Amino acid sequence: MTSSNPLSALLPDFGIKQFSAIDLDGRDPGFDTANFAAGVALCPKSLEDIKSIVAWCAKTKTPVVTQGGRTGLAGGTASALGQLVVMMEHMNTIRNIDAGSGVAIVDAGVTLTQLEDAVSSFDLTVGIDLAARGTCTIGGMVATNAGGGEAFRNGMTRQRVLGLEVVLPDGTVMSDLKKVIKANEGYDLKQIFIGSEGTLGIITGVVLKLEKAIGNRKTVLASTKNADDALCYFKRLHAMFGENLLSAEIMWKDYFVTICQELEFEGRFGNLQGETYFIADVAVPQDDDRLLEVLGESLEVGEISDAVIAKNEQERNDIWRVREESFLIDKAYPGGCWFDISIPLSELDSFVKESTSRVRAIDPALKVFVMGHLGDGNLHYTIAKDEPVDHLYSDIATALYTGLSAIGGSFSAEHGIGTEKRSSMSKFVDPTKLSLMHAIKATIDPMNIMNPGKVLPPK
Ligand SMILES: Cc1cc2nc3c(=O)[nH]c(=O)nc-3n(C[C@H](O)[C@H](O)[C@H](O)COP(=O)(O)OP(=O)(O)OC[C@H]3O[C@@H](n4cnc5c(N)ncnc54)[C@H](O)[C@@H]3O)c2cc1C
């Protein structure tokens, strides 16, 4: 706790010691330098702690910014002077794993890796996976409705949550910790909190549906002429492996080549050449040759131009590093702009071509790096050049989002709105839907103390 925030003087009256006030100096603020701008943070250890903190915030009209692992990429955890940061890292107990029902009940501050490790001993898996797995929390994943690489087969976090416990903005608790799929008890209110990015309450407990653990997996990296061909290959793999097709990721050439250079991986995957590169994981026994069989068929019809199947864990990791270490683009081209959109699969190839042309029309020197989750059409763009381009954010956003809604896509796929895409809400969300969101916010949080300035644009 630092003394620059006027709240610091008030907190001792509140009996702050019992909640372990945090010294922010020397801590990692995460992806957003504004995360610690409030200068004061509490680290509660129990539901009772959080209820008291929020009740105090309601009484004093103090805005609350909840932080999980601070891996969010949309600015949802940014704070400001006069606000109180509530860190969830000590809310890290796995309350129960009911292996028989395939369900886990956890505190919101449990990390994805912590839960994955715990359920693996029951031959189960969480069914959601993100590259931020070691740091992101289950509460943060629920608050952002995280997607990740398995969403095309298991759904987003929204589809995995059976029950929730939430501290509301007046300090009361909505407890709905169901362990069953079927529970039609009026409006499904937990869904309003999923994806609300801390603007409606603090999620303290989560019930997640689990999946059967995955056994041996094989990984293939293939080059294709374009995204349509990658899609054909994806469909062929899906027809062969069904639910045992675990992931289907795509990278466009400029992304693939730049990351390989940054990792000093040139030539590591043979002489793969193409406009797009596709990674798939399948769950099959080691002696199962069907991956080779599908590869042969796809090569024969020209869907793929070349491919590498990882022979061991090292090769598998190398392939996945190219996809997951996307921040290396920012290292090579600092000051770029990031976007996270989703596109119907049939439009993927043409959308990327057309949006790239629209972006280059702003400035021909702009580089367009694209990769994402092919299985569900979620693409991540980084637009950059040799000098920072942040000042072009709004022009680039318009170029990218143009036509998206007409084809049934979304300008905000899985990272959430936070502060970053807030201004796009007024432009790209149906006005009636937006006014309903404002009405829900006003009903649940009439004093606007939960993560103000996030998600919803000013009315
Ligand atoms: C390398 C990397 C890869 C990533 N890959 C993916 C990906 O594939 N798919 C994807 O969807 N995201 C991805 N992300 C983004 C990020 O990991 C997710 O958004 C994740 O769900 C955030 O979890 P967190 O605990 O870090 O939340 P934070 O970053 O701490 O918070 C995110 C938002 O949720 C709110 N919040 C956090 N905890 C709570 C709570 N308990 N109650 C109420 N509100 C809360 C915060 O106020 C904030 O608005 C990636 C990020 C990184 C750094």
Side-chain angles (χ1 to χ4, degrees):
M1 182 168 63
T2 70
S3 55
S4 52
N5 190 317
L7 281 178
S8 306
L10 292 174
L11 289 171
D13 298 340
F14 167 54
I16 201 65
K17 280 202 182 87
Q18 61 184 302
F19 303 116
S20 9
I22 294 296
D23 188 350
L24 296 174
D25 295 339
R27 280 183 156 242
D28 178 8
F31 270 75
D32 196 329
T33 46
N35 281 345
F36 288 173
V40 61
L42 298 181
C43 216
K45 293 191 173 78
S46 68
L47 174 64
E48 288 310 309
D49 285 0
I50 296 183
K51 279 165 63 181
S52 311
I53 291 169
V54 176
W56 180 83
C57 288
K59 200 169 84 189
T60 56
K61 296 193 172 52
T62 302
V64 181
V65 179
T66 309
Q67 296 185 353
R70 292 184 290 280
T71 66
L73 300 173
T77 41
S79 66
L81 272 184
Q83 301 184 336
L84 179 64
V85 170
V86 174
M87 293 180 174
M88 298 299 286
E89 63 196 50
H90 289 166
M91 291 288 293
N92 60 359
T93 302
I94 294 174
R95 299 186 192 176
N96 177 244
I97 296 172
D98 177 350
S101 309
V103 160
I105 308 181
V106 301
D107 279 355
V110 165
T111 66
L112 178 54
T113 296
Q114 187 188 344
L115 182 58
E116 195 62 66
D117 288 348
V119 300
S120 67
S121 47
F122 296 92
D123 215 17
L124 292 164
T125 177
V126 180
I128 319 170
D129 192 30
L130 322 177
R133 54 186 80 81
T135 314
C136 68
T137 62
I138 302 299
M141 290 168 61
V142 173
T144 55
N145 186 28
E150 297 184 7
F152 80 96
R153 63 196 285 274
N154 294 334
M156 296 181 78
T157 303
R158 186 181 297 291
Q159 279 83 38
R160 318 289 316 155
V161 174
L162 298 176
L164 273 192
E165 176 187 86
V166 186
V167 174
L168 302 176
D170 61 359
T172 58
V173 179
M174 184 191 90
S175 184
D176 187 17
L177 293 172
K178 295 274 184 319
K179 288 165 65 177
V180 288
I181 293 173
K182 291 186 175 173
N184 283 340
E185 300 179 353
Y187 304 135
D188 190 358
L189 292 182
K190 70 175 179 297
Q191 291 296 344
I192 288 181
F193 294 91
I194 301 172
S196 65
E197 301 179 50
T199 61
L200 297 177
I202 301 185
I203 296 158
T204 50
V206 183
V207 187
L208 284 176
K209 184 159 61 110
L210 304 170
E211 296 294 320
K212 192 163 64 67
I214 292 152
N216 187 64
R217 55 171 86 205
K218 289 188 180 178
T219 300
V220 60
L221 168 67
S223 54
T224 63
K225 277 197 304 295
N226 53 45
D228 277 344
D229 281 354
L231 208 50
C232 291
Y233 180 47
F234 162 63
K235 286 181 182 159
R236 201 179 282 273
L237 285 169
H238 198 253
M240 175 66 95
F241 294 104
E243 63 170 17
N244 287 323
L245 175 59
L246 305 173
S247 46
E249 301 288 307
I250 188 163
M251 299 164 283
W252 267 256
K253 188 177 180 178
D254 285 351
Y255 172 89
F256 182 81
V257 169
T258 306
I259 297 281
C260 284
Q261 278 164 358
E262 289 297 309
L263 289 169
E264 298 181 4
F265 273 9
E266 291 104 326
R268 179 149 313 196
F269 308 116
N271 191 28
L272 289 186
Q273 299 282 346
E275 274 314 300
T276 47
Y277 295 80
F278 174 80
I279 302 178
D281 268 3
V282 292
V284 286
Q286 196 52 44
D287 57 359
D288 185 318
D289 281 338
R290 284 177 301 157
L291 192 56
L292 265 180
E293 205 181 297
V294 181
L295 211 64
E297 288 168 15
S298 296
L299 276 168
E300 203 172 306
V301 295
E303 268 161 19
I304 61 176
S305 47
D306 209 343
V308 174
I309 297 179
K311 289 190 289 302
N312 50 45
E313 202 52 23
Q314 174 69 47
E315 287 186 11
R316 200 182 105 69
N317 284 342
D318 286 351
I319 291 174
W320 273 103
R321 282 186 70 190
V322 182
R323 166 60 186 84
E324 293 197 332
E325 298 198 15
S326 54
F327 55 86
L328 291 172
I329 294 286
D330 306 293
K331 197 176 144 225
Y333 296 96
C337 301
W338 301 353
F339 299 89
D340 163 42
I341 63 181
S342 54
I343 301 149
L345 293 185
S346 58
E347 309 278 350
L348 211 67
D349 192 59
S350 53
F351 186 87
V352 173
K353 286 181 179 136
E354 287 160 20
S355 59
T356 301
S357 304
R358 287 195 296 270
V359 168
R360 295 241 169 86
I362 299 169
D363 177 349
L366 286 172
K367 295 179 189 300
V368 181
F369 301 101
V370 189
M371 55 81 180
H373 310 291
L374 178 68
D376 52 32
N378 174 195
L379 297 185
H380 302 302
Y381 282 61
T382 305
I383 314 291
K385 66 177 194 179
D386 295 333
E387 58 198 64
V389 297
D390 343 18
H391 59 289
L392 293 177
Y393 182 88
S394 169
D395 292 345
I396 298 171
T398 304
L400 275 188
Y401 300 161
T402 297
L404 251 185
S405 129
I407 59 171
S410 172
F411 73 95
S412 176
E414 64 174 5
H415 293 158
I417 300 294
T419 46
E420 200 183 271
K421 282 174 258 168
R422 205 175 153 224
S423 60
S424 299
M425 291 285 278
S426 322
K427 282 194 221 156
F428 298 102
V429 172
D430 170 69
T432 309
K433 185 175 163 188
L434 195 54
S435 69
L436 270 176
M437 288 191 216
H438 278 293
I440 289 168
K441 170 77 172 166
T443 303
I444 297 179
D445 182 20
M447 288 190 295
N448 192 24
I449 60 165
M450 285 290 159
N451 218 1
K454 312 290 165 56
V455 183
L456 294 178
K459 271 204 242 181

